[in-house]
Amino acid sequence: MRLEGKVAIISGGARGMGATEARMFAKEGAKVVFGDVRDDLGKQVEAEINESSGEAIYVSLDVTDVSSWQNAVDTAVSRFGKLDILVNNAGIVNNQSRDDATAEEWDRVMDVNAKGVFLGTKVAIPEMRKAGGGSIVNISSISGMVGQHGIHPGYNASKGAVRLLTKSTAIQYASDGIRANSVHPGPIATPMTEASRADPERYNNSISRTPMGRYGQPEDIAYGVLFLASDESSYMTGSELVIDGGYTAQ
Ligand code: NAD
């Protein structure tokens, strides 16, 4: 198994890509702590993983709150003995665009998507050092590489911040054996994109910009995250893994 003996934390794991990664990591032998603000959904995913012979613990986690992160890391260490992997996956999007975009939503999007990654990293690093190294996988987006219509500009800014924060983490902690890489999904069929997929204009706009002509599935991203989390990518740090059906290739 590709994550045998590893202990991982995944944020935003109650649904979407985070839940898929929690299931996949457990199947590949990791002991998983995953957190979210959607406790009911998170507990359902926890039960499902443990019933299918994986090992996972759900914790309430608000990524904007440092004590909430500390609780997640303490849970990993007290229940599973250490921390090797952190996946900063939690994120929100807001469709206010152009003149409608408010400063309040700027703060909210930046808080969850950018500060949340900074806080998770900050709290996880001391335990990764104790473990002799680790792998941090930050979920950015194609929105961290190119501008987009129809979303709050803060979403682009927050995902761009995650891209560079990842490189900063990579160079600052390489000497501790801690790697950090970012993942840049294109349009993926998760609850986050449910409303845009149901709107013919927004759906067609996404599809027409994606050379492969379809939304990706959460598994398309989770396999990339699994690779970066595992020792298979042991010489990769500060890099960007784009999984977007060709969206940013044109
Ligand atoms: P999703 O909405 O289905 O899942 C995101 C999860 O994050 C939810 O369970 C949500 O409750 C959780 N979350 C939100 N705020 C939180 C907080 N403060 N603390 C803890 N958890 C919180 O979305 P998804 O599509 O699975 O997105 C996962 C990541 O991928 C996000 O960072 C998103 O920005 C990014 N992304 C998504 C797409 C896409 O097309 N779906 C594309 C590129 C990047």
Short mmCIF file of all heavy atoms in Angstrom, two decimals, residues 4 18-19 65 68 74 79 90-91 97 132 148 150 153 156 167 182 190 197 213 216 226 231-232 237 243:
data_model
loop_
_atom_site.label_atom_id
_atom_site.label_comp_id
_atom_site.label_asym_id
_atom_site.label_seq_id
_atom_site.Cartn_x
_atom_site.Cartn_y
_atom_site.Cartn_z
N GLU A 4 1.34 3.15 3.56
CA GLU A 4 1.49 2.27 4.73
C GLU A 4 2.33 2.96 5.81
O GLU A 4 3.40 3.50 5.52
CB GLU A 4 2.20 0.99 4.27
CG GLU A 4 2.28 -0.11 5.31
CD GLU A 4 0.93 -0.78 5.53
OE1 GLU A 4 0.34 -1.26 4.55
OE2 GLU A 4 0.48 -0.81 6.70
N GLY A 18 -12.00 16.36 -0.74
CA GLY A 18 -11.40 16.02 0.56
C GLY A 18 -11.89 14.66 1.06
O GLY A 18 -11.11 13.86 1.57
N ALA A 19 -13.20 14.40 0.89
CA ALA A 19 -13.76 13.11 1.32
C ALA A 19 -13.18 11.98 0.47
O ALA A 19 -12.86 10.89 0.97
CB ALA A 19 -15.29 13.14 1.23
N ASP A 65 -9.20 28.99 12.36
CA ASP A 65 -9.02 29.09 13.81
C ASP A 65 -7.83 28.24 14.25
O ASP A 65 -7.83 27.02 14.12
CB ASP A 65 -10.32 28.60 14.48
CG ASP A 65 -10.21 28.55 15.99
OD1 ASP A 65 -9.29 29.18 16.55
OD2 ASP A 65 -11.03 27.84 16.60
N SER A 68 -8.40 25.32 16.63
CA SER A 68 -9.09 24.21 15.98
C SER A 68 -8.06 23.33 15.24
O SER A 68 -8.12 22.09 15.27
CB SER A 68 -10.10 24.83 15.01
OG SER A 68 -10.91 23.90 14.40
N ASP A 74 -3.26 17.54 17.53
CA ASP A 74 -3.18 16.79 18.79
C ASP A 74 -3.90 15.44 18.67
O ASP A 74 -3.44 14.42 19.20
CB ASP A 74 -3.80 17.59 19.95
CG ASP A 74 -2.94 18.81 20.32
OD1 ASP A 74 -1.79 18.91 19.84
OD2 ASP A 74 -3.45 19.67 21.08
N ARG A 79 -3.79 9.85 18.96
CA ARG A 79 -4.43 8.60 18.53
C ARG A 79 -3.53 7.74 17.64
O ARG A 79 -3.58 6.51 17.69
CB ARG A 79 -5.72 8.91 17.77
CG ARG A 79 -6.76 9.62 18.65
CD ARG A 79 -7.37 8.69 19.69
NE ARG A 79 -8.13 7.62 19.07
CZ ARG A 79 -9.40 7.72 18.70
NH1 ARG A 79 -10.06 8.84 18.94
NH2 ARG A 79 -10.03 6.72 18.13
N ALA A 90 -9.45 22.35 2.35
CA ALA A 90 -10.68 23.13 2.59
C ALA A 90 -10.66 24.41 1.77
O ALA A 90 -9.62 25.07 1.65
CB ALA A 90 -10.82 23.47 4.07
N GLY A 91 -11.80 24.75 1.22
CA GLY A 91 -11.87 25.99 0.45
C GLY A 91 -13.31 26.39 0.19
O GLY A 91 -14.23 25.56 0.29
N SER A 97 -18.99 38.82 -8.78
CA SER A 97 -17.87 39.18 -9.66
C SER A 97 -17.95 40.65 -10.06
O SER A 97 -18.95 41.32 -9.82
CB SER A 97 -17.84 38.29 -10.89
OG SER A 97 -18.91 38.60 -11.74
N GLY A 132 10.57 13.49 11.65
CA GLY A 132 11.75 13.39 10.77
C GLY A 132 11.48 13.85 9.35
O GLY A 132 12.29 13.62 8.45
N GLN A 148 -10.15 34.45 -13.94
CA GLN A 148 -11.38 33.85 -14.45
C GLN A 148 -12.55 34.81 -14.34
O GLN A 148 -12.60 35.63 -13.42
CB GLN A 148 -11.70 32.58 -13.67
CG GLN A 148 -10.88 31.39 -14.12
CD GLN A 148 -11.00 30.26 -13.13
OE1 GLN A 148 -10.75 30.43 -11.95
NE2 GLN A 148 -11.40 29.11 -13.62
N GLY A 150 -16.59 35.53 -13.63
CA GLY A 150 -17.71 34.96 -12.90
C GLY A 150 -17.42 34.52 -11.48
O GLY A 150 -18.26 33.86 -10.86
N PRO A 153 -12.96 38.15 -7.34
CA PRO A 153 -11.51 38.24 -7.60
C PRO A 153 -10.68 37.74 -6.41
O PRO A 153 -9.53 37.30 -6.60
CB PRO A 153 -11.28 39.73 -7.84
CG PRO A 153 -12.53 40.43 -7.45
CD PRO A 153 -13.64 39.44 -7.50
N ASN A 156 -9.46 34.14 -7.00
CA ASN A 156 -8.20 34.10 -7.77
C ASN A 156 -7.02 34.48 -6.88
O ASN A 156 -5.97 33.81 -6.87
CB ASN A 156 -8.24 35.08 -8.95
CG ASN A 156 -8.91 34.50 -10.18
OD1 ASN A 156 -9.73 35.15 -10.80
ND2 ASN A 156 -8.58 33.29 -10.56
N LYS A 167 5.48 27.48 -2.21
CA LYS A 167 6.92 27.58 -2.54
C LYS A 167 7.71 28.11 -1.36
O LYS A 167 8.84 27.68 -1.09
CB LYS A 167 7.11 28.45 -3.79
CG LYS A 167 6.49 27.82 -5.04
CD LYS A 167 6.78 28.64 -6.27
CE LYS A 167 5.84 28.27 -7.42
NZ LYS A 167 5.81 26.86 -7.78
N SER A 182 1.92 22.18 -4.57
CA SER A 182 0.54 22.61 -4.77
C SER A 182 -0.11 21.81 -5.91
O SER A 182 0.55 21.36 -6.84
CB SER A 182 0.46 24.11 -5.07
OG SER A 182 1.27 24.47 -6.17
N THR A 190 -17.89 18.39 -8.06
CA THR A 190 -18.05 18.23 -6.60
C THR A 190 -19.24 19.10 -6.19
O THR A 190 -19.74 19.90 -7.00
CB THR A 190 -16.80 18.73 -5.85
OG1 THR A 190 -16.72 20.15 -6.04
CG2 THR A 190 -15.53 18.06 -6.32
N ARG A 197 -22.71 23.82 -12.54
CA ARG A 197 -22.98 22.76 -13.51
C ARG A 197 -24.45 22.72 -13.90
O ARG A 197 -24.80 22.28 -14.99
CB ARG A 197 -22.53 21.40 -12.96
CG ARG A 197 -21.00 21.22 -13.05
CD ARG A 197 -20.54 19.89 -12.48
NE ARG A 197 -20.61 19.87 -11.03
CZ ARG A 197 -21.24 18.95 -10.31
NH1 ARG A 197 -21.85 17.95 -10.91
NH2 ARG A 197 -21.25 19.02 -9.00
N GLY A 213 -13.13 18.61 -22.70
CA GLY A 213 -14.58 18.69 -22.90
C GLY A 213 -15.43 18.11 -21.79
O GLY A 213 -16.58 17.72 -22.04
N GLY A 216 -13.69 17.18 -14.49
CA GLY A 216 -12.96 16.07 -13.88
C GLY A 216 -13.75 15.49 -12.73
O GLY A 216 -14.71 16.11 -12.23
N LEU A 226 -2.46 11.87 -3.72
CA LEU A 226 -1.87 10.65 -3.16
C LEU A 226 -0.39 10.54 -3.53
O LEU A 226 0.46 10.26 -2.68
CB LEU A 226 -2.66 9.44 -3.68
CG LEU A 226 -2.09 8.05 -3.41
CD1 LEU A 226 -2.05 7.76 -1.91
CD2 LEU A 226 -2.96 6.99 -4.11
N ASP A 231 5.86 8.76 -0.50
CA ASP A 231 7.31 8.85 -0.72
C ASP A 231 7.68 8.69 -2.20
O ASP A 231 8.84 8.89 -2.56
CB ASP A 231 8.02 7.77 0.10
CG ASP A 231 7.89 8.03 1.60
OD1 ASP A 231 7.63 9.20 1.97
OD2 ASP A 231 8.03 7.08 2.40
N GLU A 232 6.71 8.34 -3.03
CA GLU A 232 6.98 8.24 -4.49
C GLU A 232 7.45 9.58 -5.06
O GLU A 232 8.13 9.61 -6.09
CB GLU A 232 5.71 7.81 -5.23
CG GLU A 232 5.26 6.41 -4.87
CD GLU A 232 3.81 6.15 -5.24
OE1 GLU A 232 3.20 6.95 -5.97
OE2 GLU A 232 3.27 5.12 -4.79
N THR A 237 9.53 19.15 -4.43
CA THR A 237 9.06 20.15 -3.49
C THR A 237 8.97 21.50 -4.19
O THR A 237 9.77 21.79 -5.09
CB THR A 237 9.91 20.21 -2.19
OG1 THR A 237 9.14 20.87 -1.18
CG2 THR A 237 11.25 20.93 -2.38
N ILE A 243 -3.94 19.58 -12.86
CA ILE A 243 -4.82 18.48 -13.29
C ILE A 243 -6.11 19.14 -13.76
O ILE A 243 -7.03 19.40 -12.98
CB ILE A 243 -5.10 17.49 -12.13
CG1 ILE A 243 -3.79 17.02 -11.47
CG2 ILE A 243 -5.90 16.29 -12.63
CD1 ILE A 243 -3.98 16.14 -10.23
#
